[in-house]
Amino acid sequence: MSEVTFGELLSIYVQRATRSPARPTCSAQPLRSAALAQLAVSAGTEGPAGLAGDPSRRGWSRGSAAAGGRDPPPGARLLRRDPRGLRGAGRLPAAPRDCEHAGKTAFGTGMGHLLLFLLFVGPFNCFASYSRATELFYSLNEGLPAGVLIGSLARDLRLPTAGSQQAASLQPPLSFTLASHGLGGQYVQLDNRSGELHTSAVEIDREALCVESSGATIFGGSAAVSSSSPSPESCLLLLDVLVLPQEYFRLVKVKIAIRDVNDNAPRFPVPHIRLWVPENAPVNTRLAIEHPALDPDMGTNGVQTYRLRDNYGVFTLDVEENENGERTPYLIVMGTLDRETQDEYVTVIVAEDGGTPPLVGSATLTIGISDINDNCPQFNDSQLNVTLYGNSSLGTHVATVHAVDMDLGSNAQITYSYSQKVPQPSRDLFHLNESTGAITLSTKVDGDTPRLHRLIILGNGPGCIPAVITVLVTIIKVMMRPPEVVPRFIANEVEGVVYLKELEPINTPIAFFTIKDPDEKYKVSCYLDGDGPFRLSPYKPYNNEYLLETTKPLDFETQQLYEISVVAWNSEGFHVKKVVKVQVLDDNDNSPVFSEQLIELSIEENNVPNAFLTKLHATDADSGERGQVSYFLGPDAPSYFALDKTTGVLTVSTQLDREEKEKYRYTVKAVDSGFPPRESIATVTITVLDKNDNSPRFINKDFSFFVPENFPGFGEIGVISVTDADAGQNGWVALSVLNGSDIFVIDTGKGVLRAKVSLDREQQSSYVLWIEAVDGGDPALSSTAKITILLLDINDNPPLVLFPQSNMSYLLVLPSTLPGSPITEVYAVDKDTGMNAVIAYSIIGRRGPRPESFRIDPKTGNITLEESLMQNDYGLYRLLVKVSDHGYPEPLHSTVMVNLFVNDTVSNESYIESLLRKEPDISVEEKQPQISIEPTHKKMESASCMPTLVALSIISLSSIALVTGMGIYICLRKGKKHHRADENLEVQIPLNGRINLHMLEKKPVEISNI
């Protein structure tokens, strides 16, 4: 397509201006406003073309304001061409009324119009007032291929169409041109002669063109809101087309509405959505899901519904639509939640659009249950009894109380305090740590100190009634100073707690203990009290020195805290106890453990993409980060399986096909976060369950079987092989004959085809059957195959002689017949085919005056004269001809009698018939006929030589013709009487197998000629 240049437009308007009288125009400013409102030709104002043609084929619609289609949008100006024709003076139409209201300025000469056209440059100013502007509307679906007809501008504008007589007389011819070639030119092709718009090779994508808003219009590839769009959801593409020559000049604004098709599936912006719900959320609580699915399609092709794949019986989804038509999913709580019972729910949220068929998208939805303060602190015991010696030193540990709160974080913080019932002296004597609950001796025990103290301790939690425990401390009065136990720690110790790593070797030293008597007059001994892998032994060669060490490796997963005591006593039985706490530090010595080493799963084939398979679960006995487990697919896992690293949710991203692969087996890994990390492996097996998605399939679409005729009834003709890729009931196939069921049957199980009756090739040589295979699925699927049965011929039909038609017929042979001349023929046919129908002819019996005078061609059945007939050869000849086929294993044959009457005329026909009615006395020759199948051209050669030989013989005999003439004449006169006697001969052919000629003297009778 060629683009109309500015110079060409200028030339057109100069010609019009010089020919047209002055016309009123608007002032400059209104002219520019009118040009902006009715842009006639602008750079880049073209867009992709749409579909027109057969509505049933593509579903298109079009309208033409100029052609009586839909009404133009409000405010649009519709200018029609004069129906009386546009070939007159070529005058411009009158200025519009709005242009007259803007101010009337008359240009009396053609230069006025030229100046008016010059205003067209920036931009076209009042040019629209002088052009015939027309709007055409088309609509089409997005994604159409190249070459689809959108519409014919010539037909819709009621202009002469290409090929019509009116169009042929136009000089110059009618042409259509896009005003400019912008970005939108890549979507449309315009035939500048016929005015037909077609789609180009660049596919139209509505979502890519109209990204900004649903009512966007594309101008040369850029989007802007169009007030004249047919509907709020239209995506319009605009084209400005110029129609030339000047007699038909007009500006055509083509608006193409791109209709949406469901070519995009809903998609969530994030693959994993996390939502928190308080555990005390009441039933019917609604929580908005902040990441709804997005679908670029419009209307019903957009997102319509949401659903949960597993709602755990406590959740459901609802969808709310706002004023803008946006749909937001809401999670609704349908049951009671308890974080302490289950703190997290993992499911899959599915978004579905309203297309046909609908498309879906999914994302993993994790619903976390947030903690509330619904649990209060509790003590395991209600009372604790403690004994304290009166000579205990300051800071001596008396007891520790410990309460438990099942909540988390700040809701589980516990502080300890004395009840108001505890007297102040007891408060002063014993210090209570508010955080740890440890009770220590804060002042020295003297003689005035009470011997029994009742300490009531409260465990306080936020918003809870305090838990209560009573500690009874009994102080034993001591008259002597107790032994002293002085520890010196080797291992790491903080505030009386020794920290040891698990897996420390045996005999790891913990501390030295020095045991001594302050009075130095009593013998002091010590021992270790408490359970655990520890040993306290004297450290030689020193006295009163003891070493505390381990006896076997510690295991954090078995026990994390040990509390042991080093007890010293003197000879007076006075005991002193030093409590040592050993905290075992965790090490990454445990690998994650799957709940199942073999994870067996099943899924139906043709599943939706990103289908949920299972949630893997592995535990790690280590603590902290060392016990945090991540999940990974093994190297043998196919790429279309996905495993969430954090949650362990296993999905498949594509559709599975059981017929392609039924079993999947691969490994998954659980890896902890320790250093170095430890891992464990489990095996996942997935069985793809069958669906009836495969029709039965014949090995061949066409089967051919060759069967000899007279095949016995219910004999096996052939086997029809058919398979079905499905399994079980879906793969069971039943065969049936669609046509010819009254003759043929088929074994459903084995596929054996049989005929109920014996088949005769001569009645019907072939059969065409259609076999249907139906599987056992619901609904059932089927396929058909063509069966051709060809019957092979067997030699079951003897040759049938068609000529002569009777043994009583005869033929007159003139004596003047030349040797080699054909006399007659025997014609027979055989209903069989092939070699069974190849016929050979032979003479097996003869009778006559000189019966060897005639011979028969074994292939054609032609009977010819071998020798010249003499006067003695007159009479009736009877030839018994055998017609035999080439059948195997035993040829079949027929016989016929050929009667030849040698005479000049037949004067008495009844006499000859009486001779024919007598039984011939012919001896049958036992010699089998010579069956030879020679090429036909040899026969033709020998036949063509015969006349030549006869001619040569005549020429050679002509030289002696005069010499022998007289002799022949004399001989003929002498034999005249004898010839008359021969005419009265009666030839009898008895049936005794012998040929006897009898001369009967009868009166000559008249024999009518044949």
Side-chain angles (χ1 to χ4, degrees):
M1 288 180 284
S2 62
E3 183 175 352
V4 178
T5 64
F6 177 80
E8 293 173 343
L9 290 176
L10 181 61
S11 174
I12 293 171
Y13 272 85
V14 168
Q15 295 175 14
R16 289 196 175 190
T18 56
R19 293 201 306 254
S20 302
R23 296 182 181 273
T25 62
C26 58
S27 60
Q29 182 61 34
L31 286 176
R32 297 179 64 87
S33 300
L36 292 174
Q38 304 183 43
L39 187 60
V41 181
S42 60
T45 58
E46 71 177 292
L51 172 65
D54 186 2
S56 64
R57 181 172 60 91
R58 289 288 186 181
W60 61 275
S61 64
R62 73 180 184 196
S64 171
R70 68 178 70 169
D71 295 334
R77 191 174 184 84
L78 175 60
L79 299 179
R80 302 176 183 269
R81 65 184 178 91
D82 188 356
R84 292 172 296 179
L86 297 176
R87 296 190 184 183
R91 298 166 62 90
L92 292 171
R97 193 174 298 273
D98 57 353
C99 200
E100 295 176 0
H101 293 170
K104 297 184 179 179
T105 304
F107 291 89
T109 64
M111 291 305 295
H113 290 284
L114 178 59
L115 292 176
L116 176 63
F117 176 73
L118 292 177
L119 293 176
F120 176 85
V121 177
F124 293 140
N125 297 319
C126 212
F127 169 67
S129 300
Y130 283 85
S131 63
R132 296 177 175 87
T134 305
E135 282 189 345
L136 295 179
F137 292 93
Y138 299 99
S139 64
L140 74 158
N141 292 340
E142 61 176 327
L144 294 176
V148 175
L149 177 65
I150 300 170
S152 174
L153 301 185
R155 182 178 64 250
D156 296 337
L157 294 173
R158 297 181 181 175
L159 298 176
T161 57
S164 65
Q165 183 177 2
Q166 186 179 2
S169 62
L170 290 179
Q171 290 297 331
L174 199 64
S175 67
F176 301 84
T177 310
L178 290 176
S180 64
H181 293 278
L183 180 62
Q186 62 181 325
Y187 298 107
V188 66
Q189 290 180 348
L190 174 62
D191 191 312
N192 62 349
R193 292 302 179 193
S194 66
E196 290 185 348
L197 278 172
H198 294 84
T199 55
S200 67
V202 180
E203 184 178 285
I204 300 175
D205 186 358
R206 185 186 187 279
E207 290 73 33
L209 294 177
C210 300
V211 179
E212 298 285 332
S213 63
S214 61
T217 304
I218 302 305
F219 292 98
S222 62
V225 176
S226 171
S227 62
S228 60
S229 58
S231 67
E233 295 183 354
S234 293
C235 172
L236 290 184
L237 303 173
L238 301 185
L239 296 173
D240 285 349
V241 180
L242 294 176
V243 182
L244 296 175
Q246 58 184 350
E247 289 83 357
Y248 291 91
F249 176 78
R250 65 179 60 197
L251 170 66
V252 182
K253 287 187 173 292
V254 179
K255 295 185 178 182
I256 304 172
I258 308 302
R259 290 198 299 263
D260 182 51
V261 298
N262 191 29
D263 57 346
N264 292 279
R267 183 177 181 182
F268 287 90
V270 293
H272 188 279
I273 302 173
R274 191 170 187 89
L275 187 66
W276 289 97
V277 181
E279 62 175 324
N280 64 341
V283 177
N284 294 328
T285 298
R286 301 170 65 88
L287 296 101
I289 298 176
E290 298 299 334
H291 299 284
L294 305 177
D295 193 328
D297 295 324
M298 297 298 301
T300 57
N301 291 333
V303 178
Q304 298 296 315
T305 59
Y306 292 85
R307 68 176 185 274
L308 293 177
R309 190 161 293 163
D310 186 1
N311 59 16
Y312 295 94
V314 292
F315 299 106
T316 188
L317 286 181
D318 190 17
V319 180
E320 290 187 3
E321 184 174 354
N322 60 14
E323 298 177 354
N324 298 328
E326 297 177 352
R327 297 174 181 263
T328 302
Y330 280 79
L331 181 71
I332 302 177
V333 179
M334 302 297 293
T336 304
L337 303 176
D338 185 5
R339 188 205 63 79
E340 287 73 32
T341 303
Q342 185 168 354
D343 61 352
E344 185 180 75
Y345 297 87
V346 179
T347 183
V348 175
I349 181 173
V350 179
E352 182 175 311
D353 63 22
T356 304
L359 303 178
V360 297
S362 61
T364 302
L365 176 63
T366 301
I367 306 171
I369 309 302
S370 59
D371 183 55
I372 64 168
N373 191 25
D374 58 346
N375 290 280
C376 291
Q378 291 183 351
F379 289 104
N380 293 330
D381 300 314
S382 60
Q383 182 172 312
L384 186 61
N385 298 320
V386 179
T387 300
L388 181 66
Y389 291 100
N391 59 351
S392 299
S393 58
L394 297 179
T396 300
H397 180 266
V398 178
T400 299
V401 295
H402 181 70
V404 178
D405 192 324
M406 298 299 294
D407 294 325
L408 293 176
S410 60
N411 294 330
Q413 290 182 357
I414 302 174
T415 60
Y416 303 94
S417 63
Y418 285 123
S419 171
Q420 297 293 331
K421 297 180 181 180
V422 178
Q424 190 62 40
S426 297
R427 293 170 180 257
D428 296 337
L429 183 61
F430 300 103
H431 174 263
L432 175 62
N433 189 309
E434 294 183 355
S435 300
T436 64
I439 304 172
T440 57
L441 186 63
S442 59
T443 60
K444 194 170 181 64
V445 177
D446 55 22
D448 297 331
T449 302
R451 296 292 180 255
L452 182 63
H453 296 267
R454 185 181 184 88
L455 305 179
I456 301 175
I457 301 174
L458 304 178
N460 303 295
C464 291
I465 299 175
V468 180
I469 187 172
T470 301
V471 178
L472 293 177
V473 181
T474 302
I475 300 176
I476 300 175
K477 185 177 181 181
V478 179
M479 300 302 296
M480 62 182 71
R481 288 190 296 174
E484 293 181 357
V485 179
V486 181
R488 289 172 292 169
F489 291 98
I490 302 172
N492 184 25
E493 179 266 339
V494 178
E495 296 182 357
V497 179
V498 177
Y499 295 92
L500 290 178
K501 289 185 177 181
E502 65 175 334
L503 303 181
E504 287 283 357
I506 300 175
N507 300 328
T508 297
I510 299 174
F512 280 111
F513 289 90
T514 301
I515 309 300
K516 62 182 178 177
D517 181 14
D519 298 331
E520 296 183 356
K521 59 180 180 180
Y522 300 103
K523 183 178 179 181
V524 180
S525 300
C526 73
Y527 66 92
L528 186 65
D529 185 23
D531 296 328
F534 305 102
R535 176 175 59 210
L536 182 66
S537 58
Y539 190 73
K540 296 179 180 181
Y542 304 102
N543 294 325
N544 298 327
E545 293 289 344
Y546 294 86
L547 176 64
L548 180 63
E549 59 185 355
T550 61
T551 58
K552 62 180 181 179
L554 304 178
D555 188 2
F556 174 85
E557 289 71 36
T558 302
Q559 188 170 344
Q560 294 86 34
L561 181 66
Y562 295 90
E563 187 171 327
I564 57 177
S565 301
V566 177
V567 181
W569 82 96
N570 58 18
S571 56
E572 296 297 324
F574 196 83
H575 292 75
V576 175
K577 181 183 296 184
K578 180 64 177 180
V579 177
V580 178
K581 292 183 178 180
V582 178
Q583 177 68 53
V584 182
L585 300 179
D586 188 28
D587 199 359
N588 192 30
D589 61 335
N590 289 279
S591 299
V593 177
F594 281 99
S595 56
E596 294 178 300
Q597 287 298 313
L598 179 60
I599 304 166
E600 297 179 333
L601 307 173
S602 63
I603 184 174
E604 276 194 346
E605 62 177 330
N606 304 329
N607 55 283
V608 297
N610 300 318
F612 174 83
L613 294 176
T614 189
K615 182 180 180 182
L616 304 180
H617 181 66
T619 57
D620 194 317
D622 296 323
S623 62
E625 293 183 354
R626 292 173 292 273
Q628 293 180 359
V629 179
S630 300
Y631 303 91
F632 301 94
L633 291 172
D636 54 344
S639 59
Y640 38 84
F641 289 95
L643 179 60
D644 190 282
K645 176 181 177 181
T646 305
T647 63
V649 173
L650 181 63
T651 57
V652 57
S653 61
T654 186
Q655 284 189 346
L656 300 180
D657 187 359
R658 188 204 66 83
E659 289 72 37
E660 182 178 340
K661 191 171 183 180
E662 184 177 6
K663 293 281 188 180
Y664 292 89
R665 184 182 181 93
Y666 54 87
T667 58
V668 291
K669 295 190 299 183
V671 183
D672 62 22
S673 301
F675 184 80
R678 301 175 70 94
E679 66 180 38
S680 62
I681 296 176
T683 301
V684 176
T685 61
I686 300 175
T687 301
V688 183
L689 304 179
D690 184 56
K691 292 179 69 175
N692 191 29
D693 58 344
N694 289 276
S695 301
R697 183 175 181 181
F698 290 92
I699 294 180
N700 299 311
K701 296 302 292 183
D702 295 325
F703 291 85
S704 296
F705 297 108
F706 296 88
V707 181
E709 64 174 331
N710 302 330
F711 195 68
F714 292 97
E716 180 178 324
I717 296 176
V719 178
I720 311 300
S721 299
V722 62
T723 60
D724 194 314
D726 294 322
Q729 186 72 16
N730 296 331
W732 181 85
V733 179
L735 298 174
S736 61
V737 182
L738 296 180
N739 61 327
S741 58
D742 54 338
I743 299 178
F744 298 94
V745 293
I746 191 167
D747 187 340
T748 298
K750 298 180 180 179
V752 178
L753 182 65
R754 306 176 188 274
K756 298 179 182 179
V757 297
S758 178
L759 304 178
D760 186 359
R761 190 203 63 82
E762 285 72 37
Q763 293 183 2
Q764 186 170 342
S765 61
S766 64
Y767 296 87
V768 176
L769 306 178
W770 290 96
I771 304 297
E772 182 183 37
V774 182
D775 63 21
D778 186 17
L781 301 177
S782 64
S783 62
T784 58
K786 179 182 178 183
I787 311 297
T788 302
I789 301 174
L790 301 174
L791 297 182
L792 301 178
D793 184 55
I794 62 174
N795 194 27
D796 57 344
N797 290 279
L800 176 64
V801 178
L802 299 180
F803 186 83
Q805 298 179 353
S806 170
N807 289 336
M808 302 299 295
S809 61
Y810 64 94
L811 182 68
L812 175 65
V813 181
L814 298 178
S816 60
T817 302
L818 296 178
S821 300
I823 303 301
T824 186
E825 69 171 343
V826 176
Y827 180 70
V829 294
D830 197 315
K831 294 181 180 180
D832 296 323
T833 60
M835 296 301 295
N836 295 332
V838 176
I839 298 176
Y841 302 89
S842 61
I843 299 176
I844 61 174
R846 304 169 184 263
R847 180 166 182 179
R850 193 152 53 97
E852 64 276 2
S853 300
F854 299 95
R855 66 175 297 272
I856 189 168
D857 190 294
K859 290 188 292 185
T860 64
N862 291 330
I863 297 177
T864 58
L865 181 63
E866 285 289 296
E867 302 174 356
S868 298
L869 296 174
M870 298 300 179
Q871 187 173 8
N872 295 333
D873 297 335
Y874 286 46
L876 181 64
Y877 292 79
R878 308 199 72 175
L879 307 178
L880 182 61
V881 178
K882 178 180 180 182
V883 183
S884 176
D885 60 24
H886 287 124
Y888 179 83
E890 183 67 28
L892 302 179
H893 69 274
S894 301
T895 58
V896 64
M897 187 70 71
V898 178
N899 302 300
L900 302 176
F901 186 68
V902 178
N903 202 355
D904 291 326
T905 60
V906 177
S907 59
N908 192 344
E909 185 175 353
S910 59
Y911 171 71
I912 299 176
E913 291 177 353
S914 65
L915 296 178
L916 295 176
R917 283 194 292 270
K918 295 180 180 180
E919 284 292 332
D921 186 10
I922 299 177
S923 298
V924 177
E925 301 176 3
E926 297 298 329
K927 179 180 178 181
Q928 295 294 329
Q930 291 287 336
I931 302 175
S932 98
I933 304 174
E934 297 178 357
T936 309
H937 66 88
K938 292 185 178 181
K939 174 184 175 181
M940 295 175 62
E941 290 176 358
S942 57
S944 62
C945 292
M946 185 62 67
T948 304
L949 294 176
V950 173
L952 291 176
S953 301
I954 295 174
I955 293 173
S956 62
L957 293 175
S958 62
S959 59
I960 56 174
L962 294 175
V963 178
T964 59
M966 290 302 295
I968 294 174
Y969 176 75
I970 295 173
C971 293
L972 288 175
R973 288 181 61 87
K974 290 182 178 180
K976 184 176 181 181
K977 184 178 180 180
H978 180 71
H979 175 67
R980 291 176 180 175
D982 289 341
E983 290 179 352
N984 297 328
L985 289 178
E986 179 179 355
V987 181
Q988 297 181 358
I989 306 177
L991 297 179
N992 56 6
R994 296 183 306 274
I995 301 177
N996 297 317
L997 300 178
H998 301 278
M999 304 290 291
L1000 300 177
E1001 293 184 0
K1002 293 184 179 180
K1003 289 185 178 181
V1005 294
E1006 297 223 349
I1007 300 175
S1008 62
N1009 195 7
I1010 298 177

